[in-house]
Amino acid sequence: MDSIREALRQVLEGDDFESASTMLKNIKAEAAITILPGMPYSLATNVAHADIWNRIWIARLEGRPKFNPFPDFPEITADGWPEVRDSFIANLNQAYEIARSEPFVHKCKSEDAAMKVLLKIAVHTAYHLGQIKLLKRALRKPRT
């Protein structure tokens, strides 16, 4: 369990890379919703996608009903960006708090199943944070 806690800590707080909240902090709404040439979706849509799946997995850990995640790459408006960003960070924090709980409290069938869910959150989030970082860099680059 310690390695899963550490993986979530690194994703949330950063270690070899900046924290999720720092990465998203100064992205303006218009930039967040921009779909760059050759890209399938915006940075905001990518964040929303990661958050949707984190909420699904947190619901599993907490024994709450499943919900339909689709479309899981939703179009986000400029007005919706702050809520998407804040929800993503809040849910990532929630997953970390679940992982850190002593005793480890969850509603999964077994501790092993719960740990696998937390690992999914860490790996899936890290994967998308890498994409988000690349999109953020590409948004800063002048387009010709």
Side-chain angles (χ1 to χ4, degrees):
M1 184 62 183
D2 288 341
S3 58
I4 294 170
R5 284 185 187 123
E6 177 59 14
L8 278 165
R9 187 201 64 75
Q10 287 185 30
V11 169
L12 180 65
E13 296 176 2
D15 203 19
D16 291 336
F17 48 87
E18 64 192 329
S19 71
S21 60
T22 299
M23 189 182 301
L24 300 176
K25 179 173 47 175
N26 294 321
I27 300 172
K28 295 188 182 346
E30 289 304 320
I33 65 165
T34 299
I35 301 174
L36 294 167
M39 295 294 116
Y41 40 74
S42 69
L43 183 149
T45 290
N46 199 322
V47 172
H49 167 83
D51 189 48
I52 286 167
W53 285 100
N54 285 350
R55 287 187 290 122
I56 291 260
W57 293 321
I58 289 168
R60 188 178 302 164
L61 288 162
E62 294 181 339
R64 290 185 280 116
K66 293 179 183 179
F67 62 89
N68 181 1
F70 301 105
D72 65 337
F73 283 94
E75 186 174 331
I76 306 300
T77 64
D79 290 341
W81 167 239
E83 182 180 341
V84 165
R85 178 196 57 221
D86 295 348
S87 177
F88 172 74
I89 297 301
N91 288 315
L92 190 52
N93 274 303
Q94 185 176 0
Y96 185 46
E97 289 306 314
I98 291 168
R100 292 178 57 205
S101 65
E102 291 287 343
F104 180 43
V105 178
H106 60 83
K107 301 287 184 179
C108 293
K109 292 179 182 179
S110 68
E111 190 162 309
D112 186 55
M115 290 188 311
K116 285 180 181 178
V117 171
L118 288 167
L119 190 56
K120 280 184 183 189
I121 292 171
V123 171
H124 187 254
T125 301
Y127 172 83
H128 284 290
L129 283 173
Q131 293 176 332
I132 291 161
K133 183 64 175 183
L134 285 173
L135 286 168
K136 185 177 171 181
R137 287 178 181 162
L139 285 163
R140 287 193 304 252
K141 184 176 178 171
R143 284 171 254 165
T144 56

